[in-house]
Amino acid sequence: MLRSYGLDVIAPDVPDGDGARYVARASLIIAATAPATPLVLVAHGEAGPLLPAVALAQRAAHRKVGGYVFVDAVLPRVRREHEHDHDHEHDGAGPAPAPVPPDWPEAPCGYLRTHADRTAADQGPSAAGREQAVRQARLRGWPVIEHEPPRRPPNSSAN
């Protein structure tokens, strides 16, 4: 859809990656396409916390990041000054979370909550986490869009 508006869209597919591996692979795919800058980085679902690390890799490669969009996504946990570089909540099972640069976000952020996400049958812990992400985005002062599907026009043939 975005391509139909003339936008340069790169959608890295990194099925086996998580954490640092995802960031490295996605960054290689982005670099291989030589995208126009500034970049607008978009993350969906569990990829949300990785967006700052992907952005850091892009900035290191001298590709300016112009903004971030989180689509039904978990938000990155911004590190506070009193926290150390290691994550106290990481229990050693699975990969460690990707680091969030101390200057993130250096560009505007927004959150898109889709109709499909709001009306999904899954109302378990992941749905509650997305509700929390929407609240956090609003508290951070980010624009939050609650997507609604287009409404059907009234049937004009009924008299």
Side-chain angles (χ1 to χ4, degrees):
M1 180 173 121
L2 294 173
R3 287 183 183 98
S4 68
Y5 290 98
L7 298 172
D8 188 14
V9 177
I10 304 159
D13 184 17
V14 186
D16 297 339
D18 51 6
R21 287 183 182 176
Y22 178 91
V23 171
R25 182 74 178 136
S27 297
L28 285 172
I29 293 168
I30 293 168
T33 63
T37 57
L39 303 174
V40 175
L41 300 177
V42 181
H44 180 260
E46 298 299 319
L50 303 174
L51 212 49
V54 171
L56 183 62
Q58 299 313 302
R59 290 169 36 203
H62 305 286
R63 285 185 285 278
K64 182 175 174 44
V65 175
Y68 302 91
V69 179
F70 295 87
V71 180
D72 300 331
V74 176
L75 295 182
R77 188 174 147 256
V78 179
R79 188 172 56 185
R80 291 161 183 68
E81 287 185 28
H82 67 278
E83 293 177 319
H84 300 285
D85 286 338
H86 59 280
D87 187 351
H88 294 286
E89 296 175 9
H90 184 60
D91 60 4
V100 176
D103 65 341
W104 188 87
E106 78 295 344
C109 298
Y111 196 96
L112 173 62
R113 180 86 186 272
T114 65
H115 179 76
D117 185 64
R118 285 194 317 276
T119 59
D122 172 24
Q123 295 301 320
S126 61
R130 289 188 302 275
E131 287 291 337
Q132 178 66 21
V134 169
R135 283 191 298 274
Q136 287 177 357
R138 286 191 172 115
L139 286 171
R140 293 177 183 182
W142 300 354
V144 174
I145 303 297
E146 303 261 352
H147 175 261
E148 291 295 331
R151 294 182 183 197
R152 291 185 176 168
N155 190 348
S156 59
S157 64
N159 289 340

